[in-house]
Amino acid sequence: MRSASLKQIEAFYWTARLGGFTEAAHHLNLAQSTVSKRIIELESVVSGPLFDRSNHALRLTRAGEASLPIAAELLALEPRFREAAGGAATFSGPFRFGATELVALTWLPKLIVAMKRDYPNVIPVPEVAASVDLFGKLAANELDLVIALDPPQRADFASLPLDTVQLEWVSAPGFGPELDTIPLGEMARYPILSQTQGSGLQKLVLDWAVANGLQINRVVQCNSLNVLAGLAAAGLGVTFLTASYFGPEIARGRLRVIRTEPPIPPLRYYAVHRKGDVSPLAERVAAIAQQSCDFTARSLPRD
């Protein structure tokens, strides 16, 4: 009697999960013909079809639907067995995760060092982008973990809270109001320099500001915090940045902090992964992120 192999079960699981042979092949880094062959072999072992191929859209048969949760359990047990037998070194290969620019500018190197310490054979593959883009890739199985603001409320996402970050309004010393503390509504008198659409910082801060009566006069959008700081230092407008990260520029008189009543509230970051993943690695790395999170750090210290 022939037995099903884990490779065959893996091909079946990801084809069902992602909805097609091409998508499964891309995820597993295999040729589509290899994925199809493994599924055909598995169907031969179980003596029946697992997919209904009569329509254009690939659908599970009743046997396939009944088998899918068991396939997930088997695939989840495999890394647990390897870890029990061989330790953390048994986790290997690329780990794809996303982070926003502020994370990359501050504690991303610390996170990667901790990942390599705990899982030396894992290859971190970070992607830095806007929150909306990263969460879209997480939903599409193109990333395994996302570290960002404002995660979408999805039943298939698990969110681990990290630290909060405090933003301040900043401008060039000779630009903006004379007083260092003003009512929030007075910011409408000045151009606002902000990040582009899709940024969690941009959305949360500007949505909060509008809800508190600020009429936005926005003239420049840019997806780089460092560039926004440079534009503000050049006297082109007011932006919102982390005073802790840009402390050297503030201390040297290139930027000034403008406080408002009410102030910008603290914004919390999250490490988000899919609940249904068969590998526990994303959940483990999320816990490492919680320990590594430090928005006062600098990924490249300045003199």
Side-chain angles (χ1 to χ4, degrees):
M1 179 179 177
R2 290 179 300 166
S3 299
S5 71
L6 278 174
K7 289 184 177 180
Q8 293 166 351
I9 294 171
E10 181 183 55
F12 160 68
Y13 173 82
W14 285 109
T15 300
R17 176 90 180 265
L18 301 179
F21 298 115
T22 301
E23 292 82 357
H26 177 74
H27 179 81
L28 296 171
N29 197 28
L30 296 171
Q32 182 178 334
S33 59
T34 302
V35 171
S36 299
K37 180 175 180 291
R38 290 179 181 178
I39 292 174
I40 291 172
E41 292 171 345
L42 181 60
E43 290 175 327
S44 177
V45 169
V46 301
S47 303
L50 297 171
F51 290 100
D52 181 356
R53 300 171 175 83
S54 61
N55 297 317
H56 178 70
L58 195 66
R59 293 185 178 182
L60 288 169
T61 62
R62 288 186 178 180
E65 291 177 352
S67 302
L68 186 60
I70 301 173
E73 291 177 16
L74 288 170
L75 293 175
L77 284 172
E78 189 270 340
R80 288 177 57 192
F81 172 82
R82 283 192 288 109
E83 185 179 20
T90 59
F91 288 97
S92 61
F95 180 79
R96 307 157 303 167
F97 69 102
T100 62
E101 185 192 14
L102 184 57
V103 175
L105 290 173
T106 52
W107 54 276
L108 180 60
K110 182 180 178 181
L111 170 62
I112 292 177
V113 168
M115 288 174 60
K116 294 297 291 182
R117 178 198 64 214
D118 291 355
Y119 300 100
N121 293 329
V122 168
I123 303 170
V125 184
E127 177 176 339
V128 179
S131 297
V132 170
D133 297 333
L134 294 175
F135 287 126
K137 290 190 174 185
L138 181 65
N141 288 277
E142 296 175 18
L143 293 174
D144 301 309
L145 177 77
V146 167
I147 301 169
L149 291 157
D150 197 24
Q153 300 302 307
R154 291 177 51 123
D156 57 337
F157 280 6
S159 299
L160 186 67
L162 306 179
D163 288 349
T164 60
V165 62
Q166 182 64 58
L167 301 180
E168 305 284 359
W169 299 99
V170 299
S171 72
F175 185 90
E178 294 183 4
L179 298 176
D180 289 334
T181 302
I182 62 172
L184 177 65
E186 289 190 19
M187 278 292 182
R189 299 168 55 189
Y190 309 103
I192 303 296
L193 314 173
S194 75
Q195 289 185 292
T196 53
Q197 297 294 327
S199 161
L201 286 177
Q202 186 261 0
K203 180 180 184 301
L204 290 174
V205 173
L206 294 189
D207 284 356
W208 165 84
V210 171
N212 281 272
L214 177 61
Q215 296 182 357
I216 302 295
N217 176 19
R218 185 166 48 201
V219 294
V220 175
Q221 285 187 307
C222 174
N223 62 0
S224 168
L225 293 174
N226 279 322
V227 172
L228 286 173
L231 295 174
L236 295 176
V238 177
T239 190
F240 40 90
L241 301 170
T242 55
S244 58
Y245 179 80
F246 289 98
E249 288 76 13
I250 295 170
R252 292 169 185 162
R254 296 193 61 205
L255 292 170
R256 62 176 286 219
V257 174
I258 306 170
R259 292 182 171 83
T260 59
E261 293 293 343
I264 300 174
L267 304 177
R268 184 168 298 280
Y269 273 74
Y270 294 86
V272 186
H273 61 90
R274 291 179 299 274
K275 290 181 180 178
D277 279 359
V278 294
S279 171
L281 190 56
E283 186 176 4
R284 306 275 182 85
V285 175
I288 296 173
Q290 193 175 50
Q291 297 171 355
S292 303
C293 184
D294 180 8
F295 288 106
T296 66
R298 281 178 177 264
S299 60
L300 186 62
R302 301 178 197 170
D303 295 331

